[in-house]
Amino acid sequence: MDPARTMTRMSVADVPGAHQGDSLRVPALVRLPGGRLLLAHDHRPVPRPTDWAGRGGALPDDLPNPNSLWLRTGSGGFWGPPRRLDPGLPGVTGLSDPCLTVGSGGVVHLLASASTGTGLFGARTPTHPAVSGQPPEPGTLRLLHAVSHDGGTTWRWSDITDVCLPSSTWPRGAVVFPASGHGTRLRHGPWAGRLVQPVVAALTPRPDGSRPVRSAALLSDDSGNTWRLGSPLPAVPGTEATSLAGGAATSGTDEHALAELPDGRLVTSARDGAYGGTRWTSWSTDGGQTWGELLHADDLPDPGCNAGLVALDDGRLLLSHASSPRARRAGRLSVSEDGGRTWRAGAALTGPETPFGYSDLAVLPSAGGAAQVLVVAEHPQPDGPTTLTVLRTTPTRPA
């Protein structure tokens, strides 16, 4: 692969009202049918001295920190100024974790988490459906859906936290947040047209206060008018661990990225919630409703960090990820030519000691016919703010 070239560096200096020390985090990137790029991300203010753990935060700058969502449009290597995305819903104290999906006709769907004053590990499952125009149920983490029919210029927001209510698949309900990045619209097989977005679900806390966390997919078969929560990825016995902040018990996977294979299967690459130094892979043969046994991806070193996954038209998979097993650094583009069964190292996106956090990627056509890949990634600073870097590379087949 061609060496990655840095195209753009984004910092809080671009965000109106931001202060020195604030961070830009959790990017989501998609390319629209006409070539326009949409990049959504968090603006996370420096956390105030507060009982963030007692209010259910995973880390100090996660919700309930008063985070906000911002959107940029780009083309030809140039990006417009960020615009704040505001749902205008009562009772929302912070927004985070954007996930973008391009649906039929270029309609854009956005998922996001909304805090009502508590974070993931302090939130409880909802007990009744949301009521339009009314404040959300206290103590819940809201799941929001926004739709744009004009390429991200205007948005229509709704609260879809009802998908978290108890169901036959989730008998006790769940607290759900999007895995930042992008989802997909299925193109093959009996589920063609289905929208699939990766999410993470926290189950009911155990008596000791720990809270199991599972990976799943949010599904829509009617262009985003209604959604339902698919079954979780299988649990992996013996892999449970607490989160970086403590309190949550993982079950093998949490944040994950997914893509559709040419045969209609879905593949997902998930971070190891127990921070074991590699990633996990699973496949779905029913459009994301259920998932098969997890495969330990020993050829994908990873410290426990969200990644970006895309499928090329020729069937190859590309994964952008931190390739150090111990720290979020050494950004790499890995390649699979067998549907995610095995992987090889592709382009080095950063140096081996360069910080590299959450990432997402999009495939761009080029005039010469060879696809180019655009990667947006967090650039964490030691004990300082996180910025975003946009890189570009061209995948090639091995000699």
Side-chain angles (χ1 to χ4, degrees):
M1 293 190 182
D2 292 343
R5 293 177 290 137
T6 298
M7 304 298 295
T8 311
R9 296 187 187 274
M10 301 174 178
S11 70
V12 294
D14 308 322
V15 177
H19 296 89
Q20 185 176 1
D22 293 358
S23 290
L24 304 183
R25 287 210 57 203
V26 293
L29 179 67
V30 292
R31 181 174 65 89
L32 302 185
R36 188 183 195 185
L37 294 163
L38 295 183
L39 169 59
H41 59 77
D42 279 15
H43 163 228
R44 299 192 172 188
V46 175
R48 303 170 187 161
T50 184
D51 182 22
W52 56 270
R55 297 170 64 202
L59 290 170
D61 70 347
D62 286 331
L63 296 176
N65 201 50
N67 303 333
S68 57
L69 284 184
W70 294 76
L71 182 75
R72 304 170 192 247
T73 59
S75 62
F78 297 96
W79 294 91
R83 295 184 294 111
R84 184 166 183 169
L85 297 174
D86 185 358
L89 299 177
V92 171
T93 59
L95 293 172
S96 278
D97 308 309
C99 183
L100 293 166
T101 299
V102 181
S104 177
V107 175
V108 186
H109 299 266
L110 168 68
L111 289 182
S113 296
S115 174
T116 62
T118 187
L120 173 70
F121 301 141
R124 58 182 176 83
T125 56
T127 61
H128 57 77
V131 179
S132 178
Q134 297 297 315
E137 185 176 352
T140 59
L141 188 71
R142 312 308 293 180
L143 182 62
L144 303 186
H145 173 231
V147 180
S148 177
H149 293 267
D150 54 12
T153 301
T154 60
W155 297 85
R156 184 181 75 249
W157 291 82
S158 60
D159 185 327
I160 60 168
T161 315
D162 293 6
V163 302
C164 304
L165 292 167
S167 65
S168 57
T169 305
W170 300 81
R172 302 186 69 180
V175 176
V176 174
F177 74 93
S180 62
H182 67 270
T184 189
R185 176 178 178 267
L186 302 186
R187 299 188 296 169
H188 308 288
W191 299 279
R194 174 178 289 176
L195 301 177
V196 186
Q197 302 207 65
V199 297
V200 180
L203 307 183
T204 302
R206 295 169 173 155
D208 64 1
S210 66
R211 189 164 204 168
V213 177
R214 306 290 291 277
S215 307
L218 197 67
L219 313 172
S220 176
D221 290 315
D222 55 9
S223 300
N225 290 315
T226 60
W227 296 86
R228 70 181 185 281
L229 190 59
S231 299
L233 270 66
V236 182
T239 62
E240 290 196 351
T242 57
S243 73
L244 291 175
T250 66
S251 51
T253 68
D254 44 54
E255 290 171 313
H256 60 120
L258 50 81
E260 184 184 20
L261 299 172
D263 61 8
R265 290 180 301 153
L266 272 172
V267 58
T268 189
S269 177
R271 79 176 198 173
D272 183 351
Y275 311 104
T278 56
R279 298 183 66 80
W280 293 91
T281 311
S282 183
W283 293 264
S284 172
T285 59
D286 56 8
Q289 179 62 46
T290 63
W291 296 88
E293 183 181 4
L294 284 164
L295 175 69
H296 202 205
D298 293 326
D299 44 10
L300 280 178
D302 186 282
C305 186
N306 203 11
L309 179 68
V310 293
L312 299 180
D313 289 340
D314 61 14
R316 285 180 294 163
L317 295 172
L318 303 178
L319 183 80
S320 61
H321 64 113
S323 66
S324 165
R326 295 174 299 277
R328 292 181 179 179
R329 60 181 182 233
R332 188 173 93 183
L333 197 65
S334 291
V335 186
S336 175
E337 298 178 352
D338 57 7
R341 288 283 172 184
T342 61
W343 295 85
R344 62 177 173 84
L349 298 173
T350 69
E353 300 300 321
T354 303
F356 188 94
Y358 283 35
S359 66
D360 199 12
L361 72 169
V363 180
L364 310 175
S366 69
Q372 295 191 338
V373 180
L374 203 65
V375 179
V376 57
E378 295 177 342
H379 189 76
Q381 307 295 321
D383 300 320
T386 297
T387 60
L388 296 177
T389 301
V390 181
L391 308 112
R392 192 169 189 153
T393 189
T394 303
T396 57
R397 291 189 178 277

Short mmCIF file of all heavy atoms in Angstrom, two decimals, residues 124-128 140-143 159-167 170-177 200-202 218 227-229:
data_model
loop_
_atom_site.label_atom_id
_atom_site.label_comp_id
_atom_site.label_asym_id
_atom_site.label_seq_id
_atom_site.Cartn_x
_atom_site.Cartn_y
_atom_site.Cartn_z
N ARG A 124 -30.52 3.52 34.09
CA ARG A 124 -31.37 2.35 34.22
C ARG A 124 -32.15 2.15 32.93
O ARG A 124 -32.32 3.07 32.13
CB ARG A 124 -32.33 2.50 35.40
CG ARG A 124 -33.23 3.72 35.33
CD ARG A 124 -34.11 3.79 36.58
NE ARG A 124 -34.93 4.99 36.63
CZ ARG A 124 -36.10 5.12 36.00
NH1 ARG A 124 -36.55 4.14 35.25
NH2 ARG A 124 -36.80 6.23 36.12
N THR A 125 -32.61 0.93 32.72
CA THR A 125 -33.39 0.66 31.52
C THR A 125 -34.72 1.41 31.61
O THR A 125 -35.29 1.58 32.69
CB THR A 125 -33.66 -0.85 31.38
OG1 THR A 125 -34.29 -1.32 32.56
CG2 THR A 125 -32.37 -1.60 31.16
N PRO A 126 -35.23 1.89 30.46
CA PRO A 126 -36.50 2.63 30.50
C PRO A 126 -37.65 1.71 30.89
O PRO A 126 -37.61 0.49 30.68
CB PRO A 126 -36.65 3.13 29.07
CG PRO A 126 -35.84 2.20 28.24
CD PRO A 126 -34.68 1.79 29.10
N THR A 127 -38.69 2.30 31.47
CA THR A 127 -39.85 1.52 31.90
C THR A 127 -41.09 1.82 31.07
O THR A 127 -42.08 1.10 31.17
CB THR A 127 -40.18 1.80 33.38
OG1 THR A 127 -40.47 3.20 33.54
CG2 THR A 127 -38.99 1.43 34.27
N HIS A 128 -41.05 2.90 30.26
CA HIS A 128 -42.22 3.22 29.44
C HIS A 128 -41.76 3.95 28.18
O HIS A 128 -40.66 4.50 28.14
CB HIS A 128 -43.22 4.08 30.23
CG HIS A 128 -42.66 5.35 30.77
ND1 HIS A 128 -42.42 6.48 30.00
CD2 HIS A 128 -42.28 5.69 32.03
CE1 HIS A 128 -41.93 7.44 30.75
NE2 HIS A 128 -41.83 7.00 31.98
N THR A 140 -32.37 7.77 32.72
CA THR A 140 -32.15 6.94 31.54
C THR A 140 -31.15 7.60 30.59
O THR A 140 -30.99 8.81 30.58
CB THR A 140 -33.47 6.69 30.78
OG1 THR A 140 -34.03 7.96 30.39
CG2 THR A 140 -34.47 5.95 31.64
N LEU A 141 -30.48 6.77 29.82
CA LEU A 141 -29.63 7.24 28.73
C LEU A 141 -30.44 7.10 27.45
O LEU A 141 -30.94 6.02 27.14
CB LEU A 141 -28.36 6.40 28.65
CG LEU A 141 -27.27 6.88 27.68
CD1 LEU A 141 -26.60 8.15 28.20
CD2 LEU A 141 -26.23 5.78 27.46
N ARG A 142 -30.60 8.21 26.71
CA ARG A 142 -31.48 8.21 25.55
C ARG A 142 -30.74 7.82 24.28
O ARG A 142 -29.55 8.13 24.13
CB ARG A 142 -32.14 9.57 25.36
CG ARG A 142 -32.73 10.18 26.60
CD ARG A 142 -33.68 9.25 27.33
NE ARG A 142 -34.90 8.97 26.57
CZ ARG A 142 -35.89 8.18 27.00
NH1 ARG A 142 -35.77 7.56 28.17
NH2 ARG A 142 -36.95 7.99 26.26
N LEU A 143 -31.42 7.12 23.40
CA LEU A 143 -30.90 6.77 22.08
C LEU A 143 -31.66 7.61 21.06
O LEU A 143 -32.88 7.49 20.92
CB LEU A 143 -31.09 5.28 21.82
CG LEU A 143 -30.56 4.75 20.49
CD1 LEU A 143 -29.04 4.92 20.41
CD2 LEU A 143 -30.93 3.27 20.32
N ASP A 159 -36.56 10.46 19.37
CA ASP A 159 -36.07 9.63 20.48
C ASP A 159 -36.55 8.20 20.23
O ASP A 159 -37.75 7.94 20.18
CB ASP A 159 -36.63 10.18 21.79
CG ASP A 159 -36.09 9.46 23.02
OD1 ASP A 159 -35.82 8.25 22.93
OD2 ASP A 159 -35.95 10.10 24.08
N ILE A 160 -35.59 7.28 20.04
CA ILE A 160 -35.96 5.88 19.76
C ILE A 160 -35.55 4.96 20.91
O ILE A 160 -35.31 3.77 20.70
CB ILE A 160 -35.38 5.39 18.43
CG1 ILE A 160 -33.84 5.45 18.43
CG2 ILE A 160 -35.95 6.19 17.26
CD1 ILE A 160 -33.20 4.71 17.25
N THR A 161 -35.49 5.51 22.12
CA THR A 161 -35.09 4.71 23.28
C THR A 161 -36.07 3.57 23.53
O THR A 161 -35.75 2.64 24.30
CB THR A 161 -34.97 5.60 24.52
OG1 THR A 161 -34.26 6.79 24.19
CG2 THR A 161 -34.23 4.91 25.66
N ASP A 162 -37.25 3.60 22.89
CA ASP A 162 -38.19 2.50 23.06
C ASP A 162 -37.58 1.15 22.68
O ASP A 162 -38.03 0.11 23.17
CB ASP A 162 -39.43 2.73 22.19
CG ASP A 162 -40.26 3.92 22.65
OD1 ASP A 162 -39.82 4.62 23.58
OD2 ASP A 162 -41.34 4.16 22.08
N VAL A 163 -36.56 1.13 21.81
CA VAL A 163 -35.94 -0.15 21.43
C VAL A 163 -35.26 -0.80 22.62
O VAL A 163 -34.91 -1.99 22.55
CB VAL A 163 -34.93 0.03 20.27
CG1 VAL A 163 -35.60 0.65 19.06
CG2 VAL A 163 -33.72 0.84 20.69
N CYS A 164 -35.04 -0.03 23.69
CA CYS A 164 -34.37 -0.55 24.88
C CYS A 164 -35.34 -1.20 25.86
O CYS A 164 -34.90 -1.81 26.85
CB CYS A 164 -33.62 0.56 25.60
SG CYS A 164 -32.43 1.45 24.58
N LEU A 165 -36.65 -1.08 25.63
CA LEU A 165 -37.63 -1.66 26.52
C LEU A 165 -37.56 -3.18 26.48
O LEU A 165 -37.08 -3.77 25.50
CB LEU A 165 -39.03 -1.20 26.12
CG LEU A 165 -39.33 0.30 26.34
CD1 LEU A 165 -40.61 0.68 25.61
CD2 LEU A 165 -39.44 0.61 27.83
N PRO A 166 -38.01 -3.86 27.53
CA PRO A 166 -37.99 -5.33 27.52
C PRO A 166 -38.70 -5.90 26.30
O PRO A 166 -39.72 -5.38 25.84
CB PRO A 166 -38.73 -5.68 28.83
CG PRO A 166 -38.47 -4.51 29.72
CD PRO A 166 -38.48 -3.31 28.81
N SER A 167 -38.12 -6.99 25.76
CA SER A 167 -38.66 -7.64 24.58
C SER A 167 -38.36 -9.13 24.69
O SER A 167 -37.71 -9.59 25.64
CB SER A 167 -38.04 -7.07 23.31
OG SER A 167 -36.65 -7.37 23.26
N TRP A 170 -34.63 -9.31 24.51
CA TRP A 170 -33.99 -8.68 25.68
C TRP A 170 -35.03 -8.63 26.80
O TRP A 170 -35.66 -7.59 27.01
CB TRP A 170 -33.50 -7.28 25.31
CG TRP A 170 -32.50 -7.27 24.19
CD1 TRP A 170 -32.75 -7.33 22.86
CD2 TRP A 170 -31.08 -7.20 24.32
NE1 TRP A 170 -31.58 -7.30 22.14
CE2 TRP A 170 -30.54 -7.23 23.00
CE3 TRP A 170 -30.20 -7.11 25.41
CZ2 TRP A 170 -29.17 -7.18 22.76
CZ3 TRP A 170 -28.83 -7.07 25.17
CH2 TRP A 170 -28.33 -7.09 23.86
N PRO A 171 -35.22 -9.73 27.53
CA PRO A 171 -36.32 -9.82 28.49
C PRO A 171 -36.31 -8.74 29.57
O PRO A 171 -37.38 -8.35 30.06
CB PRO A 171 -36.15 -11.22 29.10
CG PRO A 171 -35.38 -11.98 28.07
CD PRO A 171 -34.48 -10.99 27.42
N ARG A 172 -35.14 -8.25 29.94
CA ARG A 172 -35.07 -7.22 30.98
C ARG A 172 -34.69 -5.86 30.40
O ARG A 172 -34.37 -4.94 31.15
CB ARG A 172 -34.06 -7.64 32.06
CG ARG A 172 -34.40 -8.99 32.70
CD ARG A 172 -33.48 -9.31 33.86
NE ARG A 172 -33.71 -8.43 35.00
CZ ARG A 172 -33.03 -8.51 36.15
NH1 ARG A 172 -32.08 -9.43 36.27
NH2 ARG A 172 -33.28 -7.68 37.14
N GLY A 173 -34.73 -5.74 29.08
CA GLY A 173 -34.36 -4.49 28.45
C GLY A 173 -32.86 -4.26 28.52
O GLY A 173 -32.09 -5.14 28.89
N ALA A 174 -32.44 -3.06 28.14
CA ALA A 174 -31.01 -2.74 28.13
C ALA A 174 -30.84 -1.24 28.05
O ALA A 174 -31.78 -0.49 27.75
CB ALA A 174 -30.31 -3.39 26.94
N VAL A 175 -29.64 -0.78 28.37
CA VAL A 175 -29.22 0.60 28.14
C VAL A 175 -28.30 0.57 26.92
O VAL A 175 -27.29 -0.15 26.94
CB VAL A 175 -28.50 1.19 29.36
CG1 VAL A 175 -28.00 2.60 29.05
CG2 VAL A 175 -29.43 1.22 30.57
N VAL A 176 -28.63 1.30 25.87
CA VAL A 176 -27.96 1.14 24.58
C VAL A 176 -27.31 2.45 24.15
O VAL A 176 -27.91 3.52 24.28
CB VAL A 176 -28.96 0.68 23.51
CG1 VAL A 176 -28.30 0.64 22.12
CG2 VAL A 176 -29.51 -0.70 23.86
N PHE A 177 -26.07 2.35 23.63
CA PHE A 177 -25.45 3.52 22.99
C PHE A 177 -24.81 3.08 21.67
O PHE A 177 -24.40 1.92 21.52
CB PHE A 177 -24.42 4.18 23.92
CG PHE A 177 -23.12 3.45 24.08
CD1 PHE A 177 -22.02 3.74 23.27
CD2 PHE A 177 -22.98 2.48 25.06
CE1 PHE A 177 -20.81 3.07 23.43
CE2 PHE A 177 -21.78 1.81 25.23
CZ PHE A 177 -20.69 2.11 24.41
N VAL A 200 -23.87 -0.87 21.46
CA VAL A 200 -23.43 -1.57 22.66
C VAL A 200 -24.57 -1.52 23.67
O VAL A 200 -25.21 -0.48 23.83
CB VAL A 200 -22.16 -0.94 23.26
CG1 VAL A 200 -21.72 -1.69 24.52
CG2 VAL A 200 -21.04 -0.92 22.23
N ALA A 201 -24.83 -2.63 24.33
CA ALA A 201 -25.92 -2.71 25.29
C ALA A 201 -25.39 -3.09 26.67
O ALA A 201 -24.63 -4.05 26.80
CB ALA A 201 -26.96 -3.74 24.84
N ALA A 202 -25.79 -2.31 27.68
CA ALA A 202 -25.46 -2.62 29.06
C ALA A 202 -26.68 -3.28 29.70
O ALA A 202 -27.80 -2.75 29.61
CB ALA A 202 -25.07 -1.36 29.82
N LEU A 218 -28.47 -2.60 15.68
CA LEU A 218 -29.79 -1.98 15.60
C LEU A 218 -30.24 -2.07 14.15
O LEU A 218 -29.49 -1.72 13.23
CB LEU A 218 -29.72 -0.53 16.06
CG LEU A 218 -31.04 0.13 16.42
CD1 LEU A 218 -31.65 -0.51 17.65
CD2 LEU A 218 -30.85 1.63 16.65
N TRP A 227 -37.20 0.88 14.37
CA TRP A 227 -35.96 0.16 14.65
C TRP A 227 -36.23 -0.94 15.66
O TRP A 227 -37.17 -0.85 16.46
CB TRP A 227 -34.89 1.12 15.22
CG TRP A 227 -34.47 2.19 14.27
CD1 TRP A 227 -35.07 3.41 14.10
CD2 TRP A 227 -33.35 2.16 13.39
NE1 TRP A 227 -34.39 4.14 13.14
CE2 TRP A 227 -33.33 3.40 12.70
CE3 TRP A 227 -32.35 1.22 13.11
CZ2 TRP A 227 -32.36 3.72 11.76
CZ3 TRP A 227 -31.38 1.52 12.18
CH2 TRP A 227 -31.39 2.76 11.50
N ARG A 228 -35.38 -1.96 15.64
CA ARG A 228 -35.43 -3.00 16.67
C ARG A 228 -34.00 -3.44 16.97
O ARG A 228 -33.10 -3.30 16.14
CB ARG A 228 -36.26 -4.19 16.22
CG ARG A 228 -35.64 -5.02 15.12
CD ARG A 228 -36.56 -6.18 14.72
NE ARG A 228 -35.94 -7.05 13.74
CZ ARG A 228 -35.85 -6.81 12.45
NH1 ARG A 228 -36.34 -5.68 11.96
NH2 ARG A 228 -35.27 -7.68 11.64
N LEU A 229 -33.82 -3.97 18.16
CA LEU A 229 -32.50 -4.39 18.63
C LEU A 229 -32.33 -5.87 18.38
O LEU A 229 -33.14 -6.69 18.86
CB LEU A 229 -32.37 -4.07 20.12
CG LEU A 229 -31.00 -4.21 20.77
CD1 LEU A 229 -29.98 -3.30 20.09
CD2 LEU A 229 -31.10 -3.87 22.26
#
